[in-house]
Amino acid sequence: MLVAIAAMLPTTMRAYDFIEGGIYYLVNEDQATVSVTGENEDWTQGPGSYSGDVMIPSTVTHDGVTYTVNAVGNGAFDKCDLTSITLPETIISIGRDAFFACTLSAIDLPQSLVSIGDFAFASSSLIEVIVPDNVTNFGYGVFAMCDMLKSVTLGTSIDNNTLMYYEFWQSDHLESVTCRSAKPPYMGIGRDSSASGIVFIYNFSDTVYENATLYVPRDAVSAYQTASQWQDFQHIEPIGADPCDVNEDGVVNIADANSVIEVIINGGNKGGHARTPVDGTLIFGDMNGDNHVNISDLNLIIGRILDN
């Protein structure tokens, strides 16, 4: 591990106020919410506090007081041997080193999530991860040194206002990177000053640039092709042309249904295309390939949303 990375990994304090259902909690300053934490005072004190399958509740009651669980604290699950974890839709923050060196291979991050701290999943065993659209605070080295990570999706709020520093450093087995923002995130360069001299640390390695595919919104392909570091991907493709993904943001949801409704009412709008399943022609809002946009197309999208 490079010196600079090691220096930035602190000895995370792990004080807790109470335990319920085998989960350690720290009461936050507002006295109405709690953060999930661990037992040990120092993250270097051997294995973590949890193992196996862990389910975090949305609320917890202790001594007659009910708290909302809204955060995973610093280092809460670092070095833990987890099989699975369930996070509630009340979680808005995942702290620094929260899952550092954790054996967890998969995690469903809640849509309520807003902030992910530095090195939150670094050195973990994650294989695939999707960062929700509401995440605006994205720390340094979040997925660094993840040897097993193959696929990552960054939400729409990870954009040109986001400063990325060695987020995927030494995560060399990435096969797919999806950026759902039309504005390429700003890519910074870290550096390590070691005895052998200064080593510059980039977000992606040459191996990833050569072998992985970068998927971006169709209208943003050219922006990524000219953006610093993003342009180094040898394979840049538009996000998959799912007929029901009208706005081509990578998901089928109510926004797509609303787009088709607008087409039906107003005769069309701009901002995306639906690729018809018949001949691949780009016709905005035409789900069934009959060259018309009407209630039948809307019903197809609604059906997809309900199936999901």
Side-chain angles (χ1 to χ4, degrees):
M1 183 182 301
L2 295 182
V3 174
I5 297 293
M8 295 183 70
L9 298 178
T11 55
T12 305
M13 301 305 292
R14 285 184 166 178
Y16 65 92
D17 292 318
F18 64 87
I19 308 172
E20 290 290 346
I23 307 296
Y24 297 84
Y25 295 99
L26 177 67
V27 178
N28 297 326
E29 291 183 4
D30 60 12
Q31 299 297 307
T33 62
V34 292
S35 298
V36 176
T37 185
E39 177 184 12
N40 297 327
E41 288 290 328
D42 190 320
W43 77 290
T44 63
Q45 294 179 0
S49 305
Y50 305 96
S51 62
D53 300 317
V54 176
M55 178 174 289
I56 305 300
S58 58
T59 61
V60 60
T61 300
H62 180 73
D63 286 345
V65 180
T66 298
Y67 304 91
T68 297
V69 183
N70 75 344
V72 176
N74 294 344
F77 294 97
D78 66 42
K79 294 185 293 184
C80 289
D81 185 10
L82 297 186
T83 304
S84 70
I85 188 167
T86 301
L87 299 178
E89 285 294 334
T90 52
I91 297 292
I92 61 174
S93 174
I94 293 178
R96 183 186 180 108
D97 307 325
F99 293 91
F100 183 84
C102 177
T103 60
L104 193 68
S105 62
I107 187 170
D108 287 329
L109 297 177
Q111 295 301 309
S112 55
L113 189 63
V114 173
S115 176
I116 302 178
D118 297 346
F119 307 103
F121 297 95
S123 290
S124 70
S125 299
L126 284 178
I127 297 174
E128 180 178 2
V129 64
I130 298 175
V131 177
D133 286 340
N134 289 325
V135 173
T136 56
N137 183 13
F138 198 61
Y140 297 164
V142 172
F143 298 109
M145 300 172 288
C146 292
D147 292 338
M148 301 181 68
L149 188 61
K150 293 185 177 181
S151 174
V152 63
T153 296
L154 301 178
T156 54
S157 295
I158 308 297
D159 57 17
N160 61 331
N161 292 315
T162 304
L163 178 60
M164 297 182 66
Y165 271 126
Y166 33 89
E167 306 295 2
F168 303 95
W169 177 69
Q170 287 195 353
S171 297
D172 292 340
H173 293 93
L174 275 167
E175 298 173 357
S176 170
V177 178
T178 299
C179 290
R180 296 185 56 222
S181 171
K183 300 177 180 179
Y186 179 77
M187 303 280 263
I189 302 173
R191 69 177 188 176
D192 166 55
S193 298
S194 60
S196 59
I198 296 177
V199 177
F200 290 98
I201 307 172
Y202 294 84
N203 286 284
F204 298 102
S205 68
D206 290 341
T207 299
V208 173
Y209 283 133
E210 292 173 5
N211 300 320
T213 299
L214 172 63
Y215 295 96
V216 301
R218 183 176 300 277
D219 293 339
V221 171
S222 60
Y224 280 86
Q225 288 175 334
T226 56
S228 175
Q229 295 188 55
W230 294 110
Q231 64 185 357
D232 294 328
F233 276 90
Q234 294 186 17
H235 310 283
I236 302 179
E237 303 289 343
I239 292 173
D242 185 326
C244 292
D245 184 13
V246 180
N247 56 16
E248 292 191 331
D249 61 357
V251 293
V252 177
N253 54 28
I254 193 64
D256 300 296
N258 289 337
S259 293
V260 173
I261 291 172
E262 186 172 352
V263 173
I264 295 172
I265 295 175
N266 300 322
N269 67 3
K270 297 180 179 179
H273 294 285
R275 186 180 298 275
T276 67
V278 176
D279 61 4
T281 303
L282 292 176
I283 301 176
F284 188 87
D286 182 14
M287 303 293 102
N288 56 16
D290 64 359
N291 295 321
H292 299 283
V293 180
N294 53 33
I295 193 66
S296 297
D297 301 296
L298 179 60
N299 286 339
L300 283 173
I301 292 183
I302 293 174
R304 278 289 304 280
I305 295 173
L306 294 177
D307 289 340
N308 293 338

